[in-house]
Amino acid sequence: AQSVAQPEDQVNVAEGNPLTVKCTYSVSGNPYLFWYVQYPNRGLQFLLKYITGDNLVKGSYGFEAEFNKSQTSFHLKKPSALVSDSALYFCAVRDASGGSYIPTFGRGTSLIVHP
Amino acid sequence: NAGVTQTPKFRVLKTGQSMTLLCAQDMNHEYMYWYRQDPGMGLRLIHYSVGEGTTAKGEVPDGYNVSRLKKQNFLLGLESAAPSQTSVYFCASSRLAGEQFFGPGTRLTVL
């Protein structure tokens, strides 16, 4: 079985400050990990993914995420937040060891960046 | 490249009516998915398909049916709509283990 936890329903940060959106996961085998962003009244957009290789993954809009196998975490980060980053963020995991390859999503974290 | 498109964008139904939501993708993806999104519930998988002619149940399949007669299309049907099916519906597609591409969503209200 696979699962994802996003422990914070909401994250508040001031513009210009660094931001972190947390994600922890559980899979039987190795994970494929993904971050998506959803702006109001829009579909989800892919931000970045970890499949294999470098633990630090860089993605769209200046976001990055660090894969930490020992802590089973894949936190999303950005060095300097923008008001336009305010959105709903979803973490997702797939088990790379096989099966149906259907991802499991977290419940989402609302990021609010204050001017 | 249109990506993933969904038809219609909005719909209001009365209880007991039926309707079909259409999803189309032009990326030649094998996998397609239907999700519903409700406040505080995140995304919940309704049905999915791993290839043309195949479908499978997701987390919340009751009250819905799907068909994938062509690789590029994935249809979601509601045979007898209920107020509990009021939601925003998203379709997505992907390659085998790659990221998903989502459509813009269909906002459905069942009165």
Side-chain angles (χ1 to χ4, degrees), chain A:
Chain A
Q2 59 191 33
S3 65
V4 172
Q6 293 182 241
E8 301 153 319
D9 289 335
Q10 186 171 301
V11 169
N12 291 278
V13 65
E15 187 174 32
N17 283 1
L19 70 87
T20 299
V21 183
K22 295 180 181 177
C23 171
T24 58
Y25 67 90
S26 174
V27 294
S28 303
N30 291 320
Y32 291 161
L33 293 155
F34 306 85
W35 275 104
Y36 295 86
V37 60
Q38 185 181 30
Y39 298 103
N41 301 312
R42 304 285 294 276
L44 278 70
Q45 296 176 33
F46 168 72
L47 272 180
L48 51 79
K49 65 183 175 185
Y50 172 84
I51 302 296
T52 187
D54 226 349
N55 288 346
L56 185 63
V57 179
K58 293 190 184 296
S60 306
Y61 311 122
F63 283 94
E64 59 189 28
E66 186 166 10
F67 171 61
N68 187 318
K69 188 171 184 178
S70 62
Q71 296 186 3
T72 62
S73 67
F74 190 56
H75 300 332
L76 181 69
K77 300 183 180 185
K78 187 174 182 182
S80 178
L82 299 172
V83 172
S84 57
D85 292 330
S86 298
L88 192 55
Y89 290 81
F90 290 94
C91 180
V93 67
R94 272 186 163 117
D95 193 331
S97 62
S100 66
Y101 287 103
I102 302 303
T104 297
F105 281 81
R107 289 204 164 193
T109 298
S110 178
L111 173 67
I112 300 174
V113 181
H114 302 277

Side-chain angles (χ1 to χ4, degrees), chain B residues 22-34:
Chain B
L22 171 64
C23 176
Q25 53 97 3
D26 61 2
M27 295 170 283
N28 202 34
H29 286 166
E30 289 294 332
Y31 281 55
M32 295 188 75
Y33 317 77
W34 275 107

Side-chain angles (χ1 to χ4, degrees), chain B residues 38-96:
Chain B
D38 302 290
M41 302 293 291
L43 282 176
R44 292 186 290 172
L45 182 64
I46 305 171
H47 286 279
Y48 64 95
S49 168
V50 300
E52 182 178 322
T54 71
T55 63
K57 293 179 180 180
E59 181 187 354
V60 289
D62 293 342
Y64 305 95
N65 56 76
V66 288
S67 64
R68 185 129 179 241
L69 300 179
K70 294 183 179 180
K71 187 177 185 179
Q72 63 268 35
N73 295 337
F74 195 29
L75 278 63
L76 177 71
L78 286 73
E79 290 184 347
S80 179
S84 60
Q85 294 178 304
T86 293
S87 187
V88 181
Y89 292 86
F90 289 101
C91 175
S93 70
S94 74
R95 289 185 296 273
L96 176 61

